[in-house]
Amino acid sequence: MRDEIDRGGAGEPNSSAAGNQQEPTTNLVTAAPVAATDADPDATNPTATAAAGSSETNGPLPAVGSISEGVGRASISSVPEPQQPVHGHTAPESLESPSKPIIGAAVESNDSQQPGASEPIVTQPELDSHGTRGDGAQEPKSEAATAPGPVGTLSLDEKEKSPQPSKAAGPASAPPGATGPLNPERLQFLADEISRNVGQVQAEEVARLRTATAALELAGAVRPPPDAIMSWFTNMSIVSAVRVFQSWRVFDTIPAGKGESISYADLAAKVDAEEAFLIRMSWMLSSTGVLRHIEPGRVAHTPTSIMLRENEAMGSMFKIMCTNVVDVSAILPAYFDTYGRREPLGPAHIPTSFLAGRPELEYFELLNEDPDRIKLFMRAMAVAHRRVPTIGMYDMSWVLDRADQDPSRLAWVDVGGGNGHTVKVFREAYPGLRANQCAIQDLPEVLDEAQKQAESDDALRGVSWIPVNFHKDVPVKGALIYYLRHIARDYSDPVFTTILRNIAAALAPDSRVLVSEQLLAGAPPPVYAAFKDYAMLSLGGKERTLEQFGAVAAAAGLRVSGVFRDQATPHAVVEFALQE
Ligand SMILES: C[S@@+](CC[C@H](N)C(=O)[O-])C[C@H]1O[C@@H](n2cnc3c(N)ncnc32)[C@H](O)[C@@H]1O
């Protein structure tokens, strides 16, 4: 939902910007065809799994004190018709057509558009009892719909009751008790939320998730403090047991077919573990609904555990989080003793590089030193990609119109676009966005791998792959949109300011920068938002409020020209333009 619209100010074509155009410092490389093979099972809410329980477990308890961004729209990333002007965004009448771009020109190629190739690949259709469609495929879910657990979250109900926000939406627009501290009003809200939805839980995925979220938060609120403190370690113990089982390949060894299970004896033999100890280790997971214990002496997958297999996107995300949250937590006190009690500035000398004993490296330099690790990261990104909305916020109509008017101009530059998965989503949602008007910029090491993966992907055939270091330069000038999704949060204010300044130098007067990120709102923010911000600390990054984005933009010579909020999550697209 767009809060603020400011499409003015494009003014005359900026002759100095045009005059500053330079030849790209890198060659544009046109992708060869390939197939998307990211076997990413769509995330199923582990909390919901735990809360829903299993008839064959011994009363699984929900993961204690787990967290959720709130239960909202169930399939944001699958919104089929984003062209609806739901956000009130209109193409600015006053925008000048840019001068003919010499640099930033679209690459000539045959643009074979094959929308419809985006059906998510589901690797275990037999385990589709949690929110999947009848054909076993699962609608991609927003993070709100798939994130685990409760506590301090925005709920769908809040969104439904809220008037459409006209300004920065925050707790002020929410019904009483929908967010904020766990005071009596909030407890009442949670109790009402459970009552409202409990009758529908079997029938409706969203109601089920909402109820589970509210129930867990309520339980957390009434838990006696010592129990609450111990519950933190319950979650840590789940993480610990999963780590061990991942390293023993337990999740890959348990059969994944519908109705299949394995005896502990067979499992122990296959993973070379002592049977009695394996059983004991598994209690931590079957008691919390991660695995399913079956009497007498068998174990089976749940929709949660199946995602923890090697090569699954969620399994990769789990490993990344183990390093960035669990391992980093062990060295944080020493880190702050070394660098001072202040926000890490980065991009180097951040907690993750300190942990690795390579403090002089940036996070992505660290990753890129190890090809396996970068693959792990790219797989994990597929989870992040699906758990937050990509399309459906920004009204693309003016971009498509303008791109159509000048087919030689680059329309879409995805800065830090990784393996092109976001460009793919946009191209499939907006077939008018031509491949030869799209460019994906990323580090050369990342693009090497990305281009290989994209070779047979119709949606990416014909796009440009442009190696860059965005800390130093953004070489393509004068494109319509410079899109940064999940880039800002990786960096501190000074570092992100430099990135934006480099982009600002590339802008034509009517160009826009789109930053697609969570917007922090409320103090304290909802717990999932707070968690994401805390997790970014390990990279020297941070989540930001709209005001903080405005400050960074101003320092980079830009201004916030629009805000487009997702209706169900704190995710938004913040639009920047050159300062007037
Ligand atoms: C968190 S990922 C986001 C990927 C993608 N935009 C998305 O939303 O899924 C950050 C991306 O920035 C890229 N990146 C990191 N440092 C970079 C740099 N100095 N120059 C260009 N790209 C960089 C990474 O390789 C990675 O693909």
Side-chain angles (χ1 to χ4, degrees), residues 16 61 163 409 495:
S16 68
L61 297 172
R409 183 178 184 186
V495 176

Side-chain angles (χ1 to χ4, degrees), residues 362 364 374 377-378 381 385 414-418 421-422 441-443 446 468-471 484-487 489-491:
E362 299 176 19
F364 288 96
I374 191 71
F377 181 82
M378 297 312 278
M381 281 304 98
H385 173 65
D414 193 338
V415 183
H421 51 271
T422 308
Q441 297 188 340
D442 211 295
L443 294 165
V446 172
V468 300
N469 179 348
F470 53 48
H471 297 304
L484 293 88
R485 184 173 182 276
H486 286 171
I487 303 297
R489 66 178 181 165
D490 289 350
Y491 299 105

Side-chain angles (χ1 to χ4, degrees), residues 431-461:
L433 191 61
R434 298 181 185 92
N436 68 345
Q437 289 184 284
C438 295
I440 296 158
Q441 297 188 340
D442 211 295
L443 294 165
E445 313 81 298
V446 172
L447 291 192
D448 285 349
E449 183 62 30
Q451 278 183 265
K452 276 185 225 151
Q453 283 176 19
E455 271 164 19
S456 63
D457 191 326
D458 288 334
L460 294 177
R461 186 179 302 127

